[in-house]
Amino acid sequence: MNNDTAFTLSTAGDRLRVGGGLDFTAAAQMSPRLRQCIADLPASFTIDLSGLSGFNSAVLAFMLDCVRLSAAANKHCQFHGATTELRNLLRMASLED
């Protein structure tokens, strides 16, 4: 993966916006920030993936981490804005509903 753009997380209302390139290093470094973002969001929120400019299979670990951290905080998250490439990856991993 060519990761020219830094991975970012930001919150606005009931949305967690994900942007930039996501690889395993970025996902691991963002774990504390992800936990704080989820704490700041309402009980039901959307994770907007439309800002991802590049990713590899680390996105699966990131998404599972989002679900796990949300559940631990008694919150519900749903994903929005996945590209065709990401939906194909999720389908291959049997994670798309």
Side-chain angles (χ1 to χ4, degrees):
M1 179 191 84
N2 183 1
N3 187 1
D4 293 332
T5 307
F7 181 61
T8 62
L9 295 174
S10 63
T11 58
D14 67 347
R15 286 194 180 267
L16 172 61
R17 292 191 173 113
V18 181
L22 177 58
D23 58 19
F24 285 103
T25 301
Q29 291 172 345
M30 277 295 177
S31 188
R33 173 83 174 117
L34 175 60
R35 186 181 311 275
Q36 183 59 52
C37 286
I38 289 172
D40 293 342
L41 288 161
S44 182
F45 64 95
T46 299
I47 299 172
D48 184 353
L49 302 171
S50 63
L52 283 177
S53 60
F55 56 87
N56 58 27
S57 59
V59 74
L60 300 175
F62 172 78
M63 293 174 76
L64 291 171
D65 205 25
C66 288
V67 171
R68 182 183 61 79
L69 291 171
S70 296
N74 293 317
K75 297 185 179 192
H76 172 75
C77 67
Q78 62 183 7
F79 296 94
H80 173 75
T83 62
T84 300
E85 182 182 10
L86 178 52
R87 285 193 307 272
N88 288 340
L89 181 62
L90 295 171
R91 195 171 298 116
M92 287 188 327
S94 300
L95 295 175
E96 184 181 56
D97 53 352

